[in-house]
């Protein structure tokens, strides 16, 4: 059979005038969606196998199409494929090349499908793979966080509320807080995987098809649990895109929060952590400077993730059913957010591996701000049968006295304490020991050293 030499767009029979240069420039998406080549070929092979099984195309045509698609896959992977903006997108670029390879029988490939269901199928498969990659990188961050936490179970520091010294905690416990956040991030991505696990292939443009297709076969072949239920909803649905972008935004926010905190702690004013020279930069004018630029980069990139998420929400808010060209921007937004998050996770993992606690400074800071005051109030409730409010008032009076005398709570004598509460005994002095304060928090989820070790063991067992 003669090869198809036609270099016009597929719809040239109907659209008889060539598009303006400006329209071609804004109308094509090949520079963006060529990343979907693997998924597009995978979906097309499943589709033609189904067409053959349903006796819609012959064995010979099926084999020729699959041969051509495999050849195209090799050309793209070996960078020997010419992407042409004239054919708009990855789907038409592949189809036109297929015509060049096998001739007019390539025309059977688009039987019983549309680009509308084709692109969503490709995109869902891509997001499945991307999500697994993201979660693998989150796992690495969790592993590095746990490793750093293991080294700092008994590293004492002040926990902050309103960035003021609040109560004594373990630096290891602090790090495990972010393990919890990143674990939720993983679940958020996995929830989206479950929600999008329906195959769009076979709903065609918006109303389904009159061909006797088997959508269950293609769903299974492409790794989906089931086909979608409503053809109109299918081609217009981008909830799975929103869910992905939302999950990226929340994960980015978590990275930004810890980046912000580490920037503060690395500052000369706090000096609670040290960053290796591997993850800092210098100044062009100040020779002494070591700046936490990578952490600042992480904090800044969160804005881009938010922007992509809100862009998609804005695109969707005004769209009636079903498909519109507006939806073309979904892939660029997702690709950008995905690439940024992967990069940020890798950078953050590197920062964690090159971060250490300034244990001496942490302990010094923990010994300021009267952070065992709540322990004293709790002691008065437990040992002297006071209501918490009365104990709170007594403790506040003791704190006021300590400040007046320019002392820390642990520097007050029993004689001084008895002036506020005569019933106190020498036992109360143990309350002001920071280790005792931390280890008294034995309630589930509390900061006691034993709790932290148990939580670390639990997380390591689940990996």
């Amino acid at each position: 059979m003669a090869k198809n030499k036609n270099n016009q767009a597929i719809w040239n029979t109907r659209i008889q005038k060539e598009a303006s240069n400006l329209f071609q420039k804004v109308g094509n998406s090949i520079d963006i969606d060529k990343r979907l080549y693997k998924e597009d070929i995978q979906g097309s092979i499943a589709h033609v196998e189904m067409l053959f099984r349903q006796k819609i195309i012959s064995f010979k045509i099926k084999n020729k199409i699959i041969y051509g698609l495999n050849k195209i896959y090799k050309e793209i992977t070996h960078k020997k494929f010419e992407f042409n903006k004239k054919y708009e997108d990855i789907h038409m670029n592949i189809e036109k090349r297929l015509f060049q390879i096998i001739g007019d029988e390539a025309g059977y490939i688009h039987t019983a499908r549309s680009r509308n269901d084709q692109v969503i199928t490709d995109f869902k498969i891509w997001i499945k793979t991307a999500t697994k990659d993201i979660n693998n990188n989150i796992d690495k961050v969790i592993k590095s966080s746990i490793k750093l936490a293991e080294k700092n179970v008994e590293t004492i520091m002040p926990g902050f509320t309103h960035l003021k010294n609040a109560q004594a905690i373990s630096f290891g416990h602090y790090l495990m807080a972010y393990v919890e956040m990143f674990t939720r991030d993983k679940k958020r991505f996995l929830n989206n995987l479950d929600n999008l696990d329906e195959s769009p292939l076979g709903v065609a443009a918006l109303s389904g098809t009159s061909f006797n297709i088997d959508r269950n076969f293609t769903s299974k072949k492409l790794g989906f649990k089931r086909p979608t239920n409503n053809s109109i909803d299918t081609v217009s649905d981008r909830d799975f895109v929103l869910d992905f972008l939302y999950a990226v935004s929340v994960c980015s926010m978590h990275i930004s929060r810890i980046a912000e905190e580490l920037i503060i702690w690395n500052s000369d004013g706090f000096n609670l952590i040290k960053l290796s020279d591997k993850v800092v930069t210098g100044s062009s004018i100040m020779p002494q400077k070591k700046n936490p630029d990578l952490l600042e980069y992480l904090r800044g990139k969160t804005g881009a993730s938010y922007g992509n998420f809100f862009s998609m929400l804005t695109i969707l808010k005004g769209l009636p059913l079903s498909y519109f060209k507006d939806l073309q921007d979904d892939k660029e937004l997702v690709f950008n957010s995905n690439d940024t998050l992967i990069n940020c996770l890798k950078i953050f993992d590197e920062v964690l591996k090159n971060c250490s606690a300034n244990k001496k400074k942490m302990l010094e800071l923990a010994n300021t701000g009267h952070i065992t005051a709540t322990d004293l109030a709790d002691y008065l409730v437990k040992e002297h049968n006071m209501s918490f409010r009365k104990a709170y008032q007594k403790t506040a009076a003791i704190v006021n006295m300590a400040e007046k005398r320019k002392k820390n709570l642990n520097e007050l004598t029993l004689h001084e304490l008895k002036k506020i509460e005569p019933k106190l005994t020498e036992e109360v002095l143990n309350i002001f020991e920071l280790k005792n304060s931390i280890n008294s928090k034995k309630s589930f989820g509390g900061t006691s050293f034993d709790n932290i070790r148990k939580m670390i063991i639990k997380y390591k067992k689940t990996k």
Side-chain angles (χ1 to χ4, degrees):
M1 183 176 291
K3 304 294 185 193
N4 190 328
K5 305 291 186 181
N6 184 12
N7 285 323
Q8 300 298 315
I10 295 295
W11 44 85
N12 189 60
T13 306
R14 173 62 175 151
I15 309 297
Q16 297 182 7
K17 290 187 177 181
E18 188 171 334
S20 69
N21 291 335
L22 179 61
F23 181 79
Q24 286 187 37
K25 185 176 180 180
V26 300
N28 80 77
S29 60
I30 187 61
D31 289 340
I32 303 298
D33 60 31
K34 63 185 178 182
R35 288 178 67 163
L36 296 174
Y37 77 91
K38 180 179 178 182
E39 292 76 15
D40 194 69
I41 291 172
Q42 181 184 357
S44 292
I45 289 175
H47 182 65
V48 296
E49 285 180 345
M50 179 276 296
L51 292 177
F52 165 69
R53 282 170 58 93
Q54 297 302 108
K55 300 181 180 179
I56 297 170
I57 62 173
S58 69
F59 180 75
K60 178 184 175 183
I61 290 173
K62 178 205 70 161
N63 282 355
K64 285 189 75 172
I65 291 174
I66 292 175
Y67 162 78
L69 291 172
N70 285 329
K71 183 177 176 63
I72 292 169
Y73 179 80
K74 290 178 181 177
E75 288 177 353
I76 296 175
T77 55
H78 290 91
K79 303 188 185 313
K80 294 181 178 179
F81 186 92
E82 183 182 351
F83 294 102
N84 193 329
K85 291 184 178 182
K86 188 174 186 178
Y87 305 133
E88 288 196 1
D89 55 36
I90 187 61
H91 323 294
M92 291 296 100
N93 267 265
I94 288 175
E95 185 171 321
K96 292 298 290 187
R97 178 63 181 137
L98 188 64
F99 270 103
Q100 293 171 1
I101 295 171
I102 69 170
D104 286 342
E105 285 170 328
Y108 286 97
I109 193 174
H110 214 54
T111 306
R113 77 171 184 187
S114 161
R115 279 194 301 177
N116 292 357
D117 60 332
Q118 184 181 0
V119 65
I120 306 170
T121 303
D122 296 353
F123 204 18
K124 280 191 172 185
I125 296 171
W126 188 92
I127 285 181
K128 279 187 172 191
T129 303
T131 296
K132 290 173 184 175
D133 190 21
I134 287 172
N135 277 353
N136 285 338
N137 278 280
I138 292 176
D139 277 335
K140 291 176 183 177
V141 167
I142 289 174
K143 184 178 179 181
S144 295
S145 300
I146 291 173
K147 191 172 182 179
L148 189 57
E150 276 187 294
K151 296 176 182 177
N152 289 282
V153 171
E154 296 194 20
T155 300
I156 297 171
M157 64 171 286
F160 303 101
T161 60
H162 309 279
L163 211 56
K164 297 280 286 181
N165 290 13
Q167 290 181 286
I169 65 168
S170 154
F171 183 44
H173 190 58
Y174 162 84
L175 290 164
M176 292 303 290
Y178 282 95
V179 170
E180 295 291 329
M181 289 187 185
F182 289 122
T183 300
R184 290 197 299 273
D185 289 329
K186 282 187 63 180
K187 290 178 181 177
R188 207 169 279 112
F189 281 108
L190 290 173
N191 286 340
N192 187 34
L193 279 186
D194 186 57
N195 289 335
L196 66 77
D197 209 11
E198 296 180 337
S199 173
L201 195 57
V203 303
L206 83 158
S207 63
T209 178
S210 59
F211 288 96
N212 180 32
I213 62 172
D214 185 352
R215 294 189 64 210
N216 286 307
F217 172 82
T218 50
S219 295
K220 185 177 180 180
K221 192 78 176 175
L222 294 173
F224 291 99
K225 287 182 180 177
R226 63 188 75 87
T228 53
N229 290 316
N230 185 287
S231 59
I232 300 173
D233 171 65
T234 299
V235 297
S236 63
D237 170 39
R238 292 300 184 278
D239 289 0
F240 67 96
V241 173
L242 289 176
D243 289 343
F244 181 83
L245 292 174
Y246 171 69
V248 169
S249 296
V250 175
C251 187
S252 298
M253 176 268 292
H254 288 154
I255 294 172
S256 182
R257 286 185 70 182
I258 192 169
E260 167 71 3
E261 202 145 39
L262 295 180
I263 289 167
I264 293 170
W265 291 1
N266 185 62
S267 69
D268 295 331
F270 277 79
N271 194 25
L272 297 181
I273 62 163
K274 297 174 183 177
L275 296 175
S276 159
D277 285 359
K278 291 181 179 180
V279 291
V280 295
T281 60
S283 164
S284 64
I285 188 172
M286 295 170 282
Q288 84 281 10
K289 294 293 294 295
K290 289 186 177 182
N291 300 322
D293 280 17
L294 282 179
L295 289 168
E296 293 165 7
Y297 172 90
L298 296 176
R299 187 176 57 184
K301 283 299 178 181
T302 303
S305 298
Y306 289 178
N308 290 336
F309 177 46
F310 282 106
S311 291
M312 197 67 225
L313 281 171
T314 306
I315 289 169
L316 289 168
K317 78 173 183 63
L319 293 187
L321 296 176
S322 57
Y323 181 80
F324 291 88
K325 188 72 168 178
D326 313 47
L327 295 171
Q328 178 175 286
D329 281 349
D330 59 357
K331 288 167 286 299
E332 184 173 11
L333 297 173
V334 165
F335 293 159
N336 285 344
S337 285
N338 174 80
D339 295 349
T340 299
L341 180 59
I342 291 290
N343 192 39
C344 287
L345 286 166
K346 289 178 177 179
I347 290 171
F348 183 53
D349 185 52
E350 191 68 19
V351 169
L352 286 171
K353 290 174 179 175
N354 288 278
C355 175
S356 60
N358 186 341
K359 297 183 181 183
K360 182 180 177 182
K361 188 66 177 179
M362 284 184 172
L363 185 59
E364 285 178 6
L365 190 58
N367 275 309
T368 65
H370 312 296
I371 67 175
T372 54
T374 305
D375 298 280
L376 176 57
D378 289 346
Y379 172 81
L380 292 172
V381 171
K382 290 184 286 187
E383 300 301 326
H384 295 281
N385 201 29
M386 287 186 192
S387 72
F388 183 78
R389 284 300 167 216
K390 184 177 180 181
Y392 181 100
Q393 291 167 356
K394 290 275 187 181
T395 302
I398 290 172
V399 170
N400 288 339
M401 179 180 67
E403 284 189 342
K404 188 175 181 180
R405 298 184 181 188
K406 296 182 179 180
K407 289 184 175 183
N408 293 323
L409 289 179
N410 63 346
E411 294 173 331
L412 293 173
T413 66
L414 181 60
H415 176 72
E416 289 172 315
L417 293 168
K418 278 178 171 288
K419 289 183 179 180
I420 305 295
E421 177 47 59
K423 295 179 182 179
L424 290 174
T425 65
E426 198 166 310
E427 181 186 36
V428 74
L429 300 177
N430 293 325
I431 294 300
F432 303 122
E433 293 294 327
L434 295 178
K435 279 192 176 182
N436 292 340
S437 172
I438 290 174
N439 279 323
S440 69
K441 311 302 190 299
K442 295 179 180 178
S443 58
F444 186 77
T447 192
S448 73
F449 299 151
D450 283 345
N451 277 0
I452 301 167
R453 290 189 179 98
K454 287 176 184 176
M455 195 55 62
I456 287 172
I457 290 170
K458 176 184 174 183
Y459 270 102
K460 289 175 78 172
K461 282 183 177 178
T462 60
K463 301 303 171 194

